[in-house]
Amino acid sequence: MDFVSVLRHSIDPKVLLEQFGYLGLFLIVFAESGLFFGFFLPGDSLLLIAGVLAAAHILNIWIVLPLVAVAAILGNQTGFWMGSKFGRRIFSREDSWLFHKDHVTRSEAFFAKHGSKAVVISRFIPIVRTFTPIVAGIGSMPARTFFLFNVIGTVLWGIGLTLAGYLLGNIPGINQSIYYIVIAVIIISILPALNHFRPKRAKP
């Protein structure tokens, strides 16, 4: 069985619905948005697939959209609260397959570079989007400011990607190519993270 066949089976709409459903969609988006162990979850591709499933009437788009919005906002707010409540103690644990201190260091550098806008920009960068709200909380970013940028980021990322999947799903004959589109989205979403987390060359 080739790679595409395996992927085709693993993201088959019926299989995905049985494995995740609305509750699974909520929990994955929530965890990836602000819980440090959720950085490996497939947020971008999942939102796109959720939109495609809604276009196929397997999911209800009017349930999916508010569900994604609430999950993304609450996830980020939870990460922000954890950062402001526990500070750097959250990151005192040793490296493991679920946690790498390098992710924190790079996310802090990203936040320092972009400021409040990092809350929005990071939504489109895997790994960084998980740690940014925690870092914002540690950095004592004003709660109202964080919430405002949190909502903006949720609309652009969560609602935007889901609607993109919904529009793709409504294109005649798109089902024959949707798996290749999903592969492309996964690769595109990973590239910023690879660029951001690649080892830095020592300056002469």
Side-chain angles (χ1 to χ4, degrees):
M1 185 178 292
D2 60 22
F3 173 75
V4 174
S5 297
V6 172
L7 182 66
R8 189 184 293 269
H9 173 74
S10 64
I11 62 174
D12 178 85
K14 292 183 180 179
V15 174
L16 190 66
L17 183 60
E18 291 173 358
Q19 292 180 345
F20 297 100
Y22 293 114
L23 178 60
L25 177 63
F26 178 91
L27 292 177
I28 291 175
V29 173
F30 175 85
E32 205 210 11
S33 294
L35 303 183
F36 71 86
F37 57 80
F39 70 89
F40 65 92
L41 296 172
D44 296 328
S45 55
L46 186 69
L47 292 178
L48 185 70
I49 294 172
V52 173
L53 293 178
H57 304 292
I58 295 176
L59 296 177
N60 187 323
I61 189 64
W62 299 114
I63 296 178
V64 170
L65 290 178
L67 189 74
V68 166
V70 171
I73 290 174
L74 287 182
N76 255 16
Q77 291 296 141
T78 300
F80 180 80
W81 175 81
M82 289 174 60
S84 60
K85 180 72 174 180
F86 302 105
R88 298 196 62 83
R89 285 179 293 170
I90 300 175
F91 304 135
S92 62
R93 58 185 297 162
E94 295 301 319
D95 286 350
S96 66
W97 72 279
L98 278 177
F99 176 79
H100 294 278
K101 292 180 180 178
D102 187 56
H103 293 168
V104 180
T105 303
R106 298 296 178 86
S107 297
E108 287 179 323
F110 183 85
F111 185 78
K113 178 180 179 180
H114 297 284
S116 300
K117 293 182 294 183
V119 178
V120 177
I121 301 173
S122 66
R123 280 292 193 182
F124 299 90
I125 307 178
I127 301 178
V128 177
R129 67 166 158 259
T130 301
F131 289 97
T132 294
I134 302 175
V135 171
I138 293 174
S140 300
M141 181 177 179
R144 290 185 179 181
T145 302
F146 178 83
F147 180 75
L148 173 62
F149 283 94
N150 182 11
V151 172
I152 295 173
T154 294
V155 172
L156 294 177
W157 175 73
I159 304 300
L161 278 181
T162 305
L163 285 178
Y166 184 74
L167 293 175
L168 281 173
N170 279 290
I171 298 176
I174 195 65
N175 288 335
Q176 299 176 2
S177 305
I178 192 62
Y179 298 100
Y180 297 98
I181 294 174
V182 170
I183 292 173
V185 170
I186 293 174
I187 294 174
I188 292 172
S189 65
I190 289 176
L191 286 177
L194 293 178
N195 178 66
H196 185 70
F197 285 93
R198 73 181 189 274
K200 302 294 185 181
R201 290 183 177 181
K203 293 182 179 180

